[in-house]
Amino acid sequence: FKLKVIKKIFITGARGYIALHCIVNALNRGYKVKGTVRSEAKKVEVQDCLSERLNSKNDLELEILDLEEGGPIFVNSKNSPIR
């Protein structure tokens, strides 16, 4: 049988200088990227910054995750071993 390779990575702090370069590099190599930002404004900044480099809007998924708000953190993933 054949294994299906999922080329998807998770990058925290997607608005950061290094993270943006990592996202561009991953997108250029055919990966789908899921990243975190702290606010809707930062999400828009990242999308605007990377809009020219996206082959498809499905290649980049951004979630708002502000650790300063407190409370539990949940990242929903259908591939997670923890349900």
Side-chain angles (χ1 to χ4, degrees):
F1 79 82
K2 253 185 165 178
L3 289 176
K4 181 180 178 186
V5 177
I6 299 172
K7 293 178 71 171
K8 188 170 188 178
I9 61 172
F10 181 72
I11 297 177
T12 60
R15 177 60 189 97
Y17 179 79
I18 293 172
L20 283 172
H21 286 280
C22 291
I23 291 170
V24 169
N25 193 338
L27 292 172
N28 288 340
R29 292 174 182 227
Y31 285 86
K32 291 186 179 211
V33 177
K34 185 167 192 172
T36 62
V37 291
R38 290 187 181 192
S39 68
E40 184 66 34
K42 291 189 184 294
K43 181 177 179 177
V44 171
E45 284 180 31
V46 172
Q47 290 169 332
D48 290 346
C49 180
L50 298 175
S51 64
E52 294 177 5
R53 294 183 169 92
L54 291 176
N55 295 328
S56 164
K57 294 202 181 237
N58 295 331
D59 291 344
L60 177 63
E61 183 181 349
L62 296 171
E63 297 288 335
I64 298 171
L65 179 67
D66 189 350
L67 299 178
E68 292 178 1
E69 287 183 10
I73 299 169
F74 298 100
V75 177
N76 185 14
S77 174
K78 65 180 179 183
N79 298 322
S80 174
I82 301 170
R83 299 270 178 207

